[in-house]
Amino acid sequence: MDTGKNSARKSSTAASPASVARRKFINSVAAAAGGGCLLALGAGLYSRQAAALPAQALRPPGALPEADFLAACVRCGLCVRDCPYDTLKLSDLGEPVATGTPYFTARKIACEMCDDIPCVKACPTGALDRQLTDINKAQMGLAALVDHESCLNFLGLRCDVCYRVCPVIDKAITLETHHNPRSDRHAMLLPTVHSDACTGCGKCEKSCVLPEAAIKVFPRQLAQGALPAHYRKSWEEKARHGGSLIGEQVEMPARGFEGSTAGRAATEAVTAPTGAAPAAPSVPPPPAKTAAGINSRWKP
Amino acid sequence: MSMATTTVSSASGCAPARSLWQRQRWLILRRASQLLILLAFLSGPWFGVWIAKGNLSSSLTLGVLPLTDPLLVLQTLVTGHLPYSSALIGAAIVLGFYLLIGGRVFCSWVCPVNVVTDAAAWSRRRLGIKTGRVPDANTRYWLLGGLLLAAAATGTLAWEWVNPVSLLHRGLIFGMSGGLFVIAGIFMYDLLVASRGWCGHLCPVGAFYGLLGKKALLRVAAPNRKACDDCMDCFAVCPEPQVIRPALKKVGQESPLILASDCTTCGRCIDVCDKQVFKMTHRFDQRSE
C-alpha cells in the first residue's frame, strides 16, 4: 500500500520521462524475469522427471549415464542416420523419453551390435562415448526373464529362442538345468542372464515367441540390484586365496527332511549325495501334495 | 507459399508498376533458402542422396563439414560437459559465419519457424487482427539467460525439451506429432495474442543470433530515403519495425544503414517499397543518394 501511494504521488506531481521509463523498465524486467524463472523452473522439474528413462526405452551403445547423456546429447540424430538397421529413433515431444534424444525399443527393432559401432562414431558431442570400441562391452540395458509363468522353458519346453539368438550366447544367456518339480522327472533348462556379459541389445526380447515377451530388456538401473559394498562371497574369496579363510568347518547333518516331498529330493541329493541318502528320494511323495502333477512313480 | 501474395495497400501512387520478381524477390530467395536447407537434410532419407545428415542442432554435410548450433554447445559447456572436437569445430564454423555475415540471417534465411510466424503475421494483417498484448522485446534476452541458468541448474540441456526451433526442424526431418502442438501454439500466439510475438519478442535462439550479429557485414540500407513517401508499407511488413526508423528518418544516425542487430536481413522492406528506397548492401556502404 505504502509503495502504491508513493508512486501515485510521484506520478501526479511530475511524470518525468525518466520515471515513466523507469516504471516501464521495472515492469518489463519483472515480466521477463518472471518468464525466465518459469522457464528455468519448468525445465528443472521436467529434467528431474526425465532423468529416469522409461522401462522400455534403451539408449544406443556407449551412451553416458542418463544424467550426463542429457547434458551431452544435442539431439541431432546423426546416430539415427548412421544406424544401418533403423533401430534408433528420436523421441518426440510428449513421449516419456527426453525430447529429441535417441533411443530404441527392443521389442520393435533390436540393436544388431555392429562391429564398427557406427552410431558411436557419428556422435559429435561424446554423448555416445568413443571409448567403447568393442560392441560386446556395450551396456545398453540388461535382459531379465521377468515372466516365469509364461516362459516356455519354465513350462518345461525347449523353446530356447532367446538363448539361441543371443549374440553373446553362453555368456550373456546360459541354459541352467533345474529339476522340474511339476513332473518330477524332467529338467527345466532355464534361460539365465548374466549381467557381466549382457549388452542389452534386445535380441532376446525381440525374438521371444510369446505374444508378450517373457524376457525383457531394461535400462540397467532398473534391472540390476547391487550388493552392499562390504559383502564378500565366501566361494570367491576361497578361490582367490586358495582355501577357506576361516579354516575347516564342522559339517553338520541336515535334519528335518524326514518324509519330504519329491520336490525336495533334489536338495537332499545335493546335500547328501552319498551313503544312506538314496533311500529318501525313493519314498513316494504324498499324492495329495502333487495332485496337479502327473506322477508315474518312476524314478531313475 | 501463400506469403507470396502479400501486398499491403499502396496501390496508389503513379510509380511504374514493378514485376512480381521485383516485388517478391527477397521473399522468394529466402523461402528457397529455407526449403533448400531442409531438402539437403531430406534428400538422404527420401531419395538416398545424402547431402546433409542430422539437423540444425548438429549436422555433417557431404561427410566432411561439421556444423553445430553454437548456442547448444554453449549450453552443453554450461552443464559441465566438454563435447568432442567435431562439435566444437562445427560450432566455431557456424559462429564465424554468423559473426561475419549477420546473426539474425539465421532467423529469416534458415530457421523453419520463420515460415510459421511469417504466415501468422500475414494472416494477422489480412484478418485485421489488432488485439492482444505484446511482451517486452527484451524478454528474449531474459529467456536466453533463463535457459542458460536452467542448463546450469539441472545439468541437462533443459531448453531442448521445448525449443520450437530445433523441435520443428528435427520434426520435419525425423517425423513429429507432439511437437506440432508447440508449433500450432506459436502460430496462434502470433496470430491472436502478440504481433510478431515469438520471433520478435520471445525467441531466445533469435536473441542469441542477434547478439552475434552486432557487427555483421550484410546489412539492409535506405540509400534512397529521400524518395520515401511515408506509405508505411515497410513498417507494416517488417518483423522488427523499430530497426527501420534510424536509417530511414535519420533518427540518431546519419548513416542510411540499418545497423540494429534485431534486423533479420530478410529484405522484405526492399520488396514492398514502391519507391525502391532500400537495398541489400554491406556494413561499410555509406552511400546515400
Side-chain angles (χ1 to χ4, degrees):
Chain A
M1 285 306 287
D2 206 36
T3 53
K5 267 186 209 162
N6 254 345
S7 65
R9 189 174 60 227
K10 265 185 195 162
S11 63
S12 64
T13 48
S16 69
S19 82
V20 171
R22 193 187 313 137
R23 207 176 311 145
K24 260 185 83 175
F25 174 74
I26 292 170
N27 262 341
S28 68
V29 165
C37 286
L38 269 180
L39 175 86
L41 184 73
L45 285 176
Y46 159 71
S47 67
R48 276 181 61 183
Q49 168 229 318
L53 269 180
Q56 294 286 272
L58 302 171
R59 291 296 186 200
L64 298 175
E66 189 63 9
D68 299 335
F69 183 82
L70 291 176
C73 173
V74 295
R75 289 88 155 136
C76 65
L78 281 169
C79 53
V80 175
R81 284 289 179 247
D82 281 8
C83 175
Y85 299 97
D86 289 337
T87 302
L88 297 172
K89 77 183 280 269
L90 292 183
S91 165
D92 192 10
L93 186 74
E95 286 177 35
V97 184
T99 311
T101 55
Y103 72 100
F104 70 99
T105 310
R107 189 67 166 163
K108 287 185 183 145
I109 309 178
C111 172
E112 294 286 339
M113 288 177 58
C114 313
D115 281 336
D116 53 345
I117 332 180
C119 49
V120 171
K121 281 186 185 155
C123 179
T125 67
L128 306 182
D129 194 339
R130 285 182 202 161
Q131 283 179 355
L132 179 76
T133 48
D134 177 4
I135 189 63
N136 288 314
K137 295 209 166 70
Q139 298 200 328
M140 295 170 267
L142 181 59
L145 209 165
V146 286
D147 190 352
H148 295 188
E149 292 172 332
S150 310
C151 172
L152 297 181
N153 277 42
F154 266 84
L155 296 179
L157 301 177
R158 286 298 302 276
C159 163
D160 298 0
V161 167
C162 56
Y163 164 77
R164 294 278 166 209
V165 298
C166 179
V168 204
I169 185 169
D170 283 325
K171 293 198 188 85
I173 302 185
T174 55
L175 289 179
E176 301 291 328
T177 313
H178 291 263
H179 174 72
N180 186 343
R182 186 181 55 80
S183 72
D184 199 29
R185 63 196 146 120
H186 294 103
M188 298 188 295
L189 278 81
L190 302 183
T192 306
V193 179
H194 302 278
S195 65
D196 56 337
C198 175
T199 64
C201 72
K203 296 222 88 173
C204 51
E205 178 179 346
K206 168 73 182 150
S207 338
C208 179
V209 299
L210 299 178
E212 181 68 43
I215 189 166
K216 288 188 161 85
V217 183
F218 302 103
R220 285 225 156 206
Q221 73 275 13
L222 287 182
Q224 196 166 26
L227 285 171
H230 65 283
Y231 272 39
R232 299 285 180 274
K233 290 168 186 162
S234 64
W235 53 94
E236 284 178 0
E237 298 299 314
K238 197 173 170 181
R240 193 174 302 151
H241 294 92
S244 170
L245 294 172
I246 53 171
E248 282 304 310
Q249 299 299 297
V250 180
E251 286 286 337
M252 300 297 283
R255 295 200 183 90
F257 291 102
E258 296 84 3
S260 71
T261 61
R264 284 179 187 155
T267 327
E268 280 190 22
V270 172
T271 53
T274 50
S282 67
V283 174
K289 288 200 172 180
T290 54
I294 305 157
N295 191 348
S296 65
R297 303 194 175 228
W298 178 87
K299 289 289 165 242
Chain B
M1 279 293 122
S2 55
M3 296 295 304
T5 57
T6 306
T7 47
V8 184
S9 70
S10 99
S12 61
C14 43
R18 296 187 303 144
S19 70
L20 182 77
W21 173 247
Q22 283 173 321
R23 281 182 284 118
Q24 312 289 354
R25 177 165 57 140
W26 293 101
L27 180 67
I28 294 166
L29 287 174
R30 279 196 307 121
R31 292 290 177 258
S33 157
Q34 287 161 328
L35 197 66
L36 283 174
I37 288 168
L38 198 58
L39 281 177
F41 286 98
L42 282 171
S43 67
W46 284 2
F47 312 115
V49 184
W50 291 99
I51 299 169
K53 278 182 183 176
N55 57 40
L56 288 182
S57 300
S58 190
S59 61
L60 190 64
T61 302
L62 299 174
V64 287
L65 175 68
L67 296 172
T68 308
D69 179 5
L71 179 56
L72 261 173
V73 168
L74 181 61
Q75 289 174 78
T76 305
L77 292 173
V78 165
T79 66
H81 175 84
L82 182 67
Y84 285 149
S85 56
S86 49
L88 295 174
I89 292 167
I93 295 170
V94 174
L95 201 66
F97 177 83
Y98 287 110
L99 278 172
L100 197 67
I101 302 300
R104 293 202 67 193
V105 162
F106 170 81
C107 299
S108 55
W109 291 79
V110 179
C111 181
V113 179
N114 170 266
V115 182
V116 177
T117 57
D118 270 358
W122 179 81
S123 310
R124 200 178 157 92
R125 284 197 301 275
R126 271 292 156 117
L127 300 170
I129 299 171
K130 304 272 184 212
T131 55
R133 192 191 136 94
V134 184
D136 188 272
N138 285 326
T139 310
R140 49 187 154 187
Y141 296 107
W142 287 94
L143 287 174
L144 179 59
L147 72 88
L148 290 174
L149 203 66
T154 64
T156 68
L157 303 184
W159 168 243
E160 285 307 297
W161 177 43
V162 289
N163 181 3
V165 177
S166 58
L167 201 66
L168 180 59
H169 194 254
R170 187 173 55 236
L172 289 170
I173 296 167
F174 290 91
M176 72 195 297
S177 54
L180 285 173
F181 288 99
V182 174
I183 303 308
I186 285 179
F187 180 84
M188 297 311 284
Y189 178 74
D190 268 25
L191 179 69
L192 300 174
V193 181
S195 171
R196 296 287 180 180
W198 174 255
C199 294
H201 299 80
L202 296 179
C203 178
V205 182
F208 174 80
Y209 281 98
L211 291 175
L212 289 189
K214 289 265 185 214
K215 297 286 172 200
L217 290 179
L218 189 65
R219 300 278 77 183
V220 175
N224 194 21
R225 56 192 167 189
K226 276 190 305 202
C228 173
D229 61 358
D230 297 333
C231 73
M232 298 293 281
D233 280 0
C234 56
F235 284 94
V237 82
C238 179
E240 300 275 357
Q242 75 280 6
V243 306
I244 297 178
R245 222 160 83 90
L248 186 62
K249 297 297 170 190
K250 297 191 191 179
V251 180
Q253 71 175 50
E254 274 301 308
S255 161
L257 289 162
I258 294 177
L259 291 166
S261 61
D262 283 347
C263 174
T264 67
T265 325
C266 70
R268 199 71 187 116
C269 52
I270 309 174
D271 282 345
V272 299
C273 181
D274 271 340
K275 303 293 178 190
Q276 300 180 39
V277 167
F278 300 95
K279 72 167 188 183
M280 195 71 78
T281 181
H282 56 83
R283 185 170 201 92
F284 306 107
D285 183 2
Q286 298 289 352
R287 281 171 299 174
S288 178
E289 286 157 33

